[in-house]
Amino acid sequence: MPSGVVLLTDRRVARGPLVDVVAGAVRGGVRWVVLREKDLPRAERLALAADLRAILAEVAGALIVAGPDPLGGDAVHLPAAGPYPAPCAGLVGRSCHDQAELARLSTEDYATLSPVFPTETKPGYGPPLRPTGLAKLIKASPVPVLALGGVDTPDHVSACVAAGATGVAVLGALMRAENPTEAATTLTESFREAVSPLPRSRHRTTAVPPTGLRPTVPTPGGRA
């Protein structure tokens, strides 16, 4: 099941060749990638899927393909508009934006909810759910949810996790990054910290007496 920082591709805004940007994000901890690029001819998209799967295979990651055609794989992510019912695949996700769309889910394994924050990728798309709205929809969702849209900073990641998201789907913050590895490392570490807060110390602390007082030490005779 997708979790952590999930990368959505967009070669049109990437700062370098798409395969190189994805490889950099994977070095930074990304283990799930959603291949979009739906405007490409199928043959080119199929070759791109093969290249990305090879990168992810080295770290036991997985590629999800946007649209009903898995391009030789077994994981797809579908738009809210359809198709319904979802095609059979090993893993099926669906884009959702409100409670009505969540209610239409049937055999899907997970959903994305968007936009959580204002997004440069789709300006004017919304209104944004914000963490409060995200939390309400997550409670109504029958499947695990990835938070999508404008998730650009560690604080955004933490807020989405606090709202109940099992992961964050990120496009611009990684595709546009000057250093995808560094950007991915920052976001993935933020996710790990959000889901695994530092444990309390197992060691008891010794009370410190007030200034000017000395702790009493029993003598061998039993008197202090």
Side-chain angles (χ1 to χ4, degrees):
M1 191 66 62
S3 63
V5 177
V6 180
L7 171 61
L8 276 63
T9 72
D10 188 340
R11 71 189 189 285
R12 292 167 295 187
V13 302
R15 281 184 174 254
L18 185 60
V19 172
D20 293 345
V21 173
V22 172
V26 169
R27 287 193 296 271
V30 168
R31 295 296 178 264
W32 293 87
V33 175
V34 178
L35 172 61
R36 297 167 74 243
E37 320 308 324
K38 291 190 282 187
D39 59 313
L40 287 176
R42 187 179 187 278
E44 291 183 31
R45 202 164 175 242
L46 184 63
L48 183 55
D51 290 341
L52 298 185
R53 285 194 183 101
I55 293 170
L56 287 160
E58 295 181 0
V59 294
L63 182 73
I64 303 171
V65 178
D69 181 359
L71 298 175
D74 199 28
V76 295
H77 185 87
L78 306 172
Y84 287 95
C88 293
L91 180 70
V92 179
R94 174 87 66 182
S95 296
C96 294
H97 312 87
D98 54 38
Q99 192 162 346
E101 291 176 350
L102 287 172
R104 296 182 66 184
L105 300 175
S106 56
T107 59
E108 290 86 349
D109 299 294
Y110 74 93
T112 58
L113 280 171
S114 64
V116 179
F117 301 102
T119 169
E120 185 178 341
T121 302
K122 293 184 177 180
Y125 185 66
L129 296 169
R130 302 293 181 178
T132 300
L134 174 66
K136 290 180 180 178
L137 289 179
I138 287 176
K139 289 180 180 179
S141 176
V143 296
V145 165
L146 300 177
L148 168 64
V151 182
D152 297 333
T153 68
D155 286 344
H156 287 164
V157 174
S158 298
C160 291
V161 172
T166 59
V168 293
V170 179
L171 192 155
L174 295 179
M175 286 286 106
R176 296 186 180 95
E178 292 185 11
N179 187 328
T181 299
E182 184 177 297
T185 299
T186 298
L187 295 181
T188 54
E189 287 182 352
S190 298
F191 178 83
R192 293 190 189 104
E193 291 173 0
V195 298
S196 302
L198 292 176
R200 294 179 180 178
S201 174
R202 295 182 180 179
H203 302 288
R204 288 189 175 184
T205 56
T206 302
V208 178
T211 303
L213 299 180
R214 297 179 62 187
T216 57
V217 180
T219 64
R223 292 180 296 176

